[in-house]
Amino acid sequence: KRFFDITRDAAFVMAMRNPARAAVQWLSDRVDEDGLFSIPKAGLGAVESGPLAGKIRAEVYSQGMVIAALRSFVALYADDPAAPTMRALEARMCGAFEAFWSEERRHYGFAILTDGGRMDDLSGYTAAPLSLGVGEKERAAATAAALCRPQVASDWGVRMFAVDSAIYDP
C-alpha cells in the first residue's frame, strides 16, 4: 500500500494482484484458530538460537507485519473476492495481538511461547508493528515510550532486547 501511496503506479499494483492474493493466502494458512500467526507453521523466527530457540509460538513482529499485509491487501484490492475474508482475518489477528500485552510491565512483550506462557521482555522488534498502527492506541503509546528507555535505545539504534531482559546477551 505504501508503495502505491508514494509512486501512484496503478499498473504495477494491478499486475501484483494475483501474487499479493497468493501471499496473503499463504499467510492466512499459518494463522491459528485464536488469531496468532504461527511461527512453527511458517518456518520463521526472529530468534533462531539461544534460550528462545524452538520455544516461540508467535511473536510480536510477525503478528504485526501480517496484520499490516492484510490491511494493505484489503486497501488496494477491496473488490477482490478474497478481501472480505482477509478483512475478517485482520480483525481477528488484531484482537490476538493484544495477547502480547503485559499489564504488569505496561508494554507489549515479545512472544507467546509454545508452553502457553508469554515472554514479556521489551524488544525493539515491537516498534515495527506499532509504527504501522497495529495495537491498541494507549498500549501502543506506552510501549513506544518504553522503547525510548536507555536500556533499549542506544546510539546505534534499538536493541533486540532491553539490557535488563533475562535473555539479553551483548
Side-chain angles (χ1 to χ4, degrees):
K1 170 101 174 62
R2 288 178 190 251
F3 174 85
F4 178 74
D5 291 343
I6 293 168
T7 67
R8 295 292 183 209
D9 189 344
F12 177 79
V13 169
M14 292 318 292
M16 295 304 298
R17 182 186 204 113
N18 288 336
R21 185 186 311 113
V24 294
Q25 186 60 55
W26 185 90
L27 293 169
S28 70
D29 290 345
R30 281 138 187 91
V31 176
D32 290 334
E33 288 299 314
D34 60 2
L36 290 172
F37 182 73
S38 173
I39 294 300
K41 285 181 186 176
L44 302 174
V47 180
E48 297 172 348
S49 63
L52 291 177
K55 296 179 182 177
I56 297 175
R57 176 177 170 229
E59 50 95 352
V60 70
Y61 176 83
S62 295
Q63 184 80 11
M65 294 301 96
V66 173
I67 290 168
L70 294 170
R71 283 181 182 167
S72 291
F73 180 84
V74 170
L76 287 171
Y77 310 109
D79 64 335
D80 192 279
T85 300
M86 296 307 157
R87 185 177 295 112
L89 179 59
E90 182 233 331
R92 189 162 46 103
M93 290 186 74
C94 283
F97 188 85
E98 298 309 310
F100 294 98
W101 177 252
S102 170
E103 189 63 37
E104 177 186 332
R105 295 194 183 181
R106 306 294 303 159
H107 64 71
Y108 288 110
F110 176 70
I112 306 299
L113 305 175
T114 55
D115 68 4
R118 186 179 57 230
M119 198 273 200
D120 286 343
D121 291 8
L122 191 59
S123 170
Y125 279 118
T126 310
L130 300 183
S131 72
L132 296 172
V134 176
E136 190 275 322
K137 190 175 180 179
E138 289 181 16
R139 290 176 173 185
T143 303
L147 288 169
C148 294
R149 294 178 20 226
Q151 292 87 348
V152 183
S154 71
D155 291 343
W156 50 263
V158 179
R159 300 176 195 284
M160 182 172 175
F161 292 107
V163 296
D164 56 358
S165 167
I167 65 166
Y168 174 75
D169 183 1

